[in-house]
Amino acid sequence: MKKLSFSLLLLILGFAACKDDDGGDPVLGEDLTNITFDPKAHTLTIPPGLPSMDIPADNPLTDEGIELGRRLFYDPILSKDSTISCSSCHQLKYSFNDISAFSPGVGGLLGNRSSMSLINIGFQSNGMFWDGRAHSIEEQALGPVENPLEMAELWKDVEVKLRRHPDYKKRFRQAFGIDNTMDITKELAVKAIAQFERTLISANSRYDKKKFQLDPNPFLLSDLEADGQKIYYDDQQGGPDDPKGHCAHCHDGNALFTSEVYRNNAITQVATLNDFPDKGLGAITGNLTDNGMFKSPSLRNVVLTAPYMHDGSIQTLEEVIEHYNSGGHYADNVITGSITQLNLSDYDKMALLAFLDALTDTTYYSNPAFQNPFQ
Amino acid sequence: MKKFLFLFLIAATAFSCKDDDQPSTPSTTVNINFKAVYDGAPLVLYQALDYPGGKQIRFQHFNFFVSNITLLGDGATPDHLLSEVEFFDFEGNLDIAAAQTALSRKYEKVPLGNYTGVQIDFGVPASLNNADSGKLDSSNPLRQAFSSHFWSDWGSFIFMKSEGIYDLNGDGVFNQSDQGFEHHPGTNQVLTLVTKLKPIILEGGVDFDLNLKADVFKIYVSNGVALDLSNPDNKDTQELTDMPLAIDLMSHWDQACSIED
């Protein structure tokens, strides 16, 4: 397989190399070959605890590609009326999420799902979106532009805008070595965005510093937080009567804090599996038993991202914990081994909340490399 | 000049495929086809099944790791390692047709010869049972199931997930008053070696199908004694205090796994 894709890449490169033979016509675009193409390979530093990241062979990370992607991510040029950028709904200060249940797109129209944090998404390998319908970051990034409730623009019009843009045409050349402005395509735009997204790595919370010994300070986690951690992981060091939260069954994945599973966490009361207002995974697979299943999101930086759940229906983390403590609404596809009455005491709930707080990485949302380049 | 470069690339491409044609010992392809069953019948998830004692049980997930899958040689034919590790997840067993279809893995270039059986570890070998396996290439089953199966609090993979619900009050319906169970044995202590003896004769020209069955019923019922699912202590295996149950369930793989004729 590797060989095949490598050969294909070579073939494609071969073709691309022949392209300029038919270039030069001003109606068909502008020659860019006088701009130096010398991209610098970008090596990611993967912190301990995180798994390997799959970087597609046809989209290696370069400094130029990442910077182009960052600009596209923050630029409302991708939307119909230049009002909405990816960052409208994915704001750095909220861990690239937002704080409304449903985010307004072009014209103030509201989508039907809550936005998601963009954090360590380059490591994910089991689908993107609440229902897992996108299979790669590149594929995902194609979606928002033409979504009428988000950016409401046509990619062909975005391509025209980018081709005419003095700065972007230069940056596309520098990132991808294209010879002509006509080679600026949506495929390259989403590749650049994906490169930027792969750099969005977070693993520097107090929990990480303790777990992976990044900091020798023995007081990184308070006793309350450490107790919360035990509840999170069903770790009954004090004996079989210790409280269990079962959280890690769906929100672990080692340092990812998502097990990348699709589950019904019992937030919606339904008479039958047919009755979910949003079928989630079931709408994608067509399986009745997948109805009402959604991706278990990463709980990193979760204190920053209220309201919660795919429909933004839970306002605070206290209420989220209360929900799990109650066992929620039974349906035939709920895993009642975990989603069941937990009988947590007030102290246990406080501890769990404190542990979630210890997953906050302040160096993530203050990272200059992730900030808006236009400000 | 560009055109030459292109030709060169094509040539380079052609050469890079060469190593497939190297001469080797006579060999064939072995397919491992795994089916999940419950008391002999195909395991259909979400379907009510009879559990000893008169009540019913329903499964929602059933999956497991197997490792060091080895064909045992007869002395003249040496042992042959088919695979270091595989992950079988029967999440697709949502109807009888799907449940009758095995999950298959293909192993090419298996030396011909007379093998006496197959040896399988149920679980993840100690050398790979750590967080570093998350750094493996994305084609590796341990990387693919890392997020869902690595239990960081143990620093170990969960070797098997068997999840479902037991009709505790015996009223014939499943709901919140019944007993959910989540059996997730893991850690090096529960790695279970299973040996199945049966002549496996690999001859040239034909693929060999090694048809394996995993009977989840036999994980719960051993020597006529069924795990008491009404006992809340038996509902999960996540804590160290549950280790005896985890070991017990995993030890039943010897009877739960069989070679089909």
Side-chain angles (χ1 to χ4, degrees):
Chain A
M1 182 57 214
K2 279 262 168 62
K3 291 243 168 78
L4 187 64
S5 47
F6 182 62
S7 320
L8 271 175
L9 182 72
L10 287 177
L11 278 177
I12 293 164
L13 284 175
F15 277 119
C18 304
K19 252 283 164 68
D20 61 355
D21 290 358
D22 52 52
D25 182 343
V27 183
L28 293 176
E30 185 187 323
D31 183 77
L32 297 171
T33 49
N34 60 335
I35 301 169
T36 315
F37 169 54
D38 182 20
K40 274 161 259 2
H42 182 97
T43 314
L44 290 175
T45 313
I46 311 270
L50 288 169
S52 58
M53 190 187 292
D54 224 8
I55 296 178
D58 66 353
N59 194 20
L61 301 190
T62 64
D63 290 347
E64 290 77 4
I66 293 164
E67 179 56 20
L68 171 59
R70 174 160 78 131
R71 285 167 182 268
L72 293 170
F73 185 90
Y74 277 100
D75 198 335
I77 194 172
L78 262 49
S79 67
K80 177 99 196 145
D81 57 0
S82 297
T83 55
I84 302 288
S85 69
C86 306
S87 72
S88 306
C89 308
H90 300 288
Q91 300 175 31
L92 178 56
K93 62 181 164 185
Y94 306 124
S95 193
F96 287 112
N97 203 322
D98 68 7
I99 50 168
S100 41
F102 303 112
S103 328
V106 163
L109 292 177
L110 294 184
N112 45 14
R113 286 194 187 148
S114 188
S115 183
M116 303 177 84
S117 295
L118 306 184
I119 190 162
N120 297 330
I121 55 170
F123 299 103
Q124 295 194 12
S125 55
N126 196 23
M128 321 222 67
F129 287 123
W130 285 109
D131 53 18
R133 69 186 181 279
H135 300 290
S136 70
I137 308 190
E138 280 83 355
E139 182 191 339
Q140 191 288 325
L142 280 173
V145 169
E146 298 202 341
N147 184 333
L149 303 177
E150 294 185 350
M151 302 168 115
E153 177 60 304
L154 296 173
W155 267 112
K156 69 175 175 47
D157 295 339
V158 174
E159 287 171 344
V160 171
K161 287 188 271 186
L162 294 173
R163 286 169 190 159
R164 288 192 190 135
H165 196 287
D167 189 51
Y168 278 122
K169 55 190 174 195
K170 186 182 90 207
R171 289 181 182 278
F172 271 94
R173 161 76 183 167
Q174 289 168 333
F176 297 111
I178 53 165
D179 290 346
N180 187 286
T181 51
M182 293 310 286
D183 298 333
I184 296 180
T185 58
K186 62 179 180 186
E187 285 79 16
L188 289 186
V190 300
K191 276 186 178 179
I193 293 174
Q195 287 190 38
F196 172 61
E197 290 180 302
R198 290 196 171 94
T199 68
L200 304 179
I201 296 176
S202 168
N204 198 26
S205 65
R206 279 186 293 116
Y207 169 82
D208 297 294
K209 288 181 194 161
K210 173 146 192 285
K211 166 111 182 168
F212 302 109
Q213 288 117 37
L214 310 175
D215 183 336
N217 178 353
F219 303 111
L220 282 165
L221 291 194
S222 68
D223 288 349
L224 185 68
E225 289 163 341
D227 284 343
Q229 179 180 348
K230 287 183 208 136
I231 299 171
Y232 191 94
Y233 289 102
D234 298 356
D235 190 334
Q236 298 178 303
Q237 289 173 13
D241 294 331
D242 273 5
K244 295 190 278 188
H246 306 301
C247 314
H249 288 286
C250 302
H251 300 285
D252 187 31
N254 208 26
L256 287 176
F257 284 94
T258 165
S259 310
E260 296 191 69
V261 290
Y262 296 81
R263 294 286 185 269
N264 175 2
N265 69 340
I267 55 170
T268 309
Q269 185 164 17
V270 287
T272 74
L273 292 180
N274 281 305
D275 301 325
F276 288 95
D278 183 341
K279 293 192 168 57
L281 180 66
I284 308 301
T285 62
N287 297 329
L288 180 68
T289 46
D290 288 340
N291 285 353
M293 290 205 182
F294 294 89
K295 177 161 139 182
S296 58
S298 172
L299 298 188
R300 282 189 173 276
N301 281 348
V302 74
V303 293
L304 305 173
T305 67
Y308 299 103
M309 310 300 166
H310 74 276
D311 55 0
S313 59
I314 303 190
Q315 303 306 314
T316 65
L317 283 179
E318 285 84 347
E319 291 167 68
V320 170
I321 291 172
E322 215 45 78
H323 157 72
Y324 283 111
N325 193 40
S326 76
H329 304 287
Y330 176 87
D332 278 340
N333 59 2
V334 170
I335 304 284
T336 54
S338 294
I339 304 287
T340 181
Q341 270 187 32
L342 301 175
N343 303 318
L344 300 178
S345 69
D346 287 344
Y347 174 84
D348 299 337
K349 293 182 214 165
M350 267 166 51
L352 201 45
L353 184 65
F355 177 65
L356 295 179
D357 188 51
L359 304 182
T360 311
D361 178 356
T362 56
T363 62
Y364 188 66
Y365 57 78
S366 57
N367 188 337
F370 301 159
Q371 280 158 13
N372 186 343
F374 303 110
Q375 276 170 2
Chain B
M1 180 56 214
K2 287 252 168 76
K3 295 257 160 66
F4 276 114
L5 180 67
F6 185 44
L7 280 175
F8 171 75
L9 287 174
I10 290 195
T13 310
F15 275 112
S16 67
C17 304
K18 255 282 165 65
D19 58 357
D20 290 350
D21 315 330
Q22 267 166 19
S24 57
T25 47
S27 65
T28 188
T29 296
V30 172
N31 301 306
I32 286 198
N33 309 312
F34 235 123
K35 277 186 201 161
V37 300
Y38 181 85
D39 206 6
L43 172 71
V44 179
L45 303 175
Y46 293 100
Q47 191 178 70
L49 304 164
D50 292 330
Y51 195 75
K55 294 177 185 171
Q56 290 191 307
I57 187 175
R58 200 171 63 189
F59 288 89
Q60 283 155 282
H61 290 111
F62 181 55
N63 54 58
F64 51 84
F65 284 101
V66 283
S67 52
N68 293 325
I69 310 173
T70 306
L71 292 181
L72 299 171
D74 66 351
T77 305
D79 292 355
H80 180 80
L81 178 73
L82 289 177
S83 173
E84 194 174 38
V85 61
E86 299 288 356
F87 178 63
F88 289 98
D89 187 347
F90 295 91
E91 60 181 349
N93 282 24
L94 294 173
D95 56 42
I96 185 76
Q100 280 166 338
T101 312
L103 301 179
S104 295
R105 301 286 183 278
K106 195 186 191 89
Y107 307 101
E108 286 168 341
K109 301 201 177 123
V110 182
L112 303 184
N114 294 339
Y115 297 91
T116 55
V118 63
Q119 187 174 297
I120 302 172
D121 277 330
F122 281 83
V124 176
S127 58
L128 292 170
N129 190 21
N130 53 58
D132 286 342
S133 288
K135 308 259 185 212
L136 293 167
D137 188 81
S138 63
S139 60
N140 192 296
L142 292 171
R143 170 62 184 99
Q144 288 164 357
F146 183 75
S147 299
S148 58
H149 282 65
F150 190 76
W151 189 259
S152 63
D153 197 49
W154 299 337
S156 161
F157 281 85
I158 290 171
F159 292 176
M160 165 180 94
K161 284 194 180 182
S162 170
E163 302 173 356
I165 186 165
Y166 173 70
D167 183 15
L168 186 64
N169 56 17
D171 63 357
V173 271
F174 294 96
N175 55 31
Q176 62 272 30
S177 48
D178 295 315
Q179 179 81 54
F181 62 89
E182 233 170 345
H183 296 122
H184 289 183
T187 73
N188 296 339
Q189 297 177 63
V190 308
L191 186 71
T192 304
L193 177 71
V194 168
T195 304
K196 294 286 149 187
L197 295 178
K198 183 181 180 191
I200 297 173
I201 316 241
L202 298 190
E203 296 162 325
V206 269
D207 287 10
F208 187 88
D209 284 301
L210 183 58
N211 299 319
L212 297 174
K213 235 170 25 185
D215 194 335
V216 61
F217 180 83
K218 293 184 178 165
I219 289 177
Y220 289 101
V221 185
S222 176
N223 298 323
V225 181
L227 179 71
D228 179 6
L229 286 172
S230 65
N231 179 352
D233 289 343
N234 288 339
K235 91 190 252 290
D236 49 33
T237 54
Q238 223 64 39
E239 308 84 45
L240 292 175
T241 46
D242 296 326
M243 203 35 95
L245 175 58
I247 293 173
D248 190 46
L249 293 176
M250 286 299 287
S251 73
H252 296 166
W253 269 112
D254 191 37
Q255 59 200 45
C257 174
S258 60
I259 302 182
E260 264 185 307
D261 295 321

